[in-house]
Every structure is written in C-alpha cells, then in structure tokens.
Amino acid sequence: LSKVFLEWKKKNSIFVREFFKLLFYQNHQKIMKISFRKISTKELATLCERVIETSKKSGFPEISGHPLLLGLEKIYKEYEAVYTKASYSGKGVSVAKADKERDAVYSDLKGFLKAYSRMKLFPEHEDAEKLYEVIHAFGKNIGALNYAEETAQMKKLIEELNKPEHHRRLSVLRLDPYFNELKLKQEAFEAVYTEQTQANSELRQLKSATALKHELENQLKVYLSLVNAMKSLENWKRFYSDLTKS
C-alpha cells in the first residue's frame, strides 16, 4: 500500500513541477487564459495544495498573508470538502437494518394475534380479535409503504395500543414484552432515519466539486498572475524559485 502511495505522490509531484514550468514561461495575459479543462479534480486539488503549502512556508508575511492567497485557501477548503465527499450519507444500510428489525417484531405480533383470534375455544380470543382489528386498521399493507409513511403509521398504531383498554388486552395475552420491543425498535429506527435525513440534507447543501472547480481555477489564476508579476522583487523572487521547483 505504501508503494502505491509513493508512486502516486511521485506522479503528482511530477505533474505539479511540469505544470509550473509551463505556467511561468507565459506572460500575465496568457496565465489568465490557461485552461484547466484537462486537469482532473484530484490534480487541481494537488496543485492548489502545493501552491498554498509553498506560500505558507515562504517565511514572508507579504506572501503568506496576502489576501489573494487567503482567498485561494478559503475556496480550496470548500473544494477539498466536496470533491472527495460521498454523494449520499452511507447510512442506508443502517436504516434498512433498523426497518427490518422493526418489521420482524411487528410481523410476529400481528401473526400471533391473527392466529389467536381464530381460536374460539380460548376465553381470551375476543381480546385477540380486538387487538387484531387495531393492527389491521393501522398496519394493513404497512410493509409496502416507504420509510416516512410506515413510520407515521407505526406511531399511530403504537399510540392506539397504548390506550388503557388495549394495554389491558396485551397484558391478558402476555404480549407486553412484544409491544415494548416494538416501541424500542420504532424509536431505534426513527433515530437512525433522522440521522440519515440530516446527513443527506447537509450533503445536498454543499456545492458540487464541478460548481467550485471553475471558481477555484479563476482564483488560482489570479494568484499565480500576482506571483508572476512580483517575481522581480527580492522576496517574491525567492518564493517564485521555490514554487517552480515544487
């Protein structure tokens, strides 16, 4: 793995060095016309990182604290945050698992009540019938609903089963453990589903790498034009030399 990393680093270092050789042979007007279209998002990130890093290490406040460099660094941080980002939160597996566990408890409870309600010789079959009616009213085809709809229906079902008359029937049938487990699984699902919703919302609010790429390219051009224009001054001359040797 380290060998692969070293090869990648060497390759990108060569790319950065050759880019600067080409870049600084151009005059100011040509720098501003440079096209980054053939540079990948990763290569652009590598290039900006090297420019910023070399600028910060120059030891000259007029360079390391220059507004154009600070502007480049600001946009680069935004770009870095999004070009490697996932397009989704990655919490889908956890949500599906929590939903499956919730459905399993619900199915067991529903199956028991349906079977018990048909056993007319048992005195508690009427309690089972009443509870099954509640299950059927709120949970019919609940598995075919999407996560949001199923969650809303499940909350209504739990609220109804929490009523004193239904709670008594659950106790008579010794189903309290199942009902409590259903409530726990519902709470667990809501927690992870909320996390997924928030995470996906945050990702959607971030600018895309494509949208930021053009902005970063322009800022980089402006800053490199400054370096090119100031290279005759002593401190900038040394910095210019360090940058082209990067």
Side-chain angles (χ1 to χ4, degrees), residues 119-207:
M119 297 179 179
K120 306 300 183 181
L121 297 179
F122 287 100
E124 299 91 353
H125 82 275
E126 291 185 357
D127 291 316
E129 284 181 4
K130 293 293 183 182
L131 290 174
Y132 184 69
E133 287 174 5
V134 174
I135 291 279
H136 191 266
F138 289 95
K140 185 179 181 181
N141 299 322
I142 198 168
L145 303 176
N146 61 41
Y147 287 150
E149 292 170 339
E150 181 177 349
T151 297
Q153 283 299 100
M154 193 67 76
K155 288 175 73 173
K156 290 179 181 178
L157 171 62
I158 290 172
E159 184 180 343
E160 183 67 22
L161 291 176
N162 259 328
K163 290 181 177 180
E165 63 272 25
H166 298 316
H167 201 276
R168 181 195 63 78
R169 292 184 176 110
L170 288 168
S171 296
V172 168
L173 294 169
R174 299 180 180 83
L175 290 175
D176 288 327
Y178 265 95
F179 182 53
N180 291 334
E181 184 68 7
L182 180 62
K183 289 190 285 185
L184 289 174
K185 295 301 183 183
Q186 171 69 7
E187 290 172 4
F189 176 83
E190 287 188 51
V192 70
Y193 183 60
T194 298
E195 287 179 9
Q196 183 195 46
T197 302
Q198 291 175 343
N200 286 340
S201 177
E202 289 171 4
L203 285 173
R204 284 192 293 270
Q205 288 172 16
L206 289 174
K207 289 183 180 179

Side-chain angles (χ1 to χ4, degrees), residues 4 8 22 36 38 48 91 148 153 161-162 175 221 229:
V4 173
W8 179 87
L22 174 64
F36 290 85
K38 294 183 179 180
C48 288
K91 296 182 181 293
Q153 283 299 100
L161 291 176
N162 259 328
L175 290 175
K221 287 179 184 179

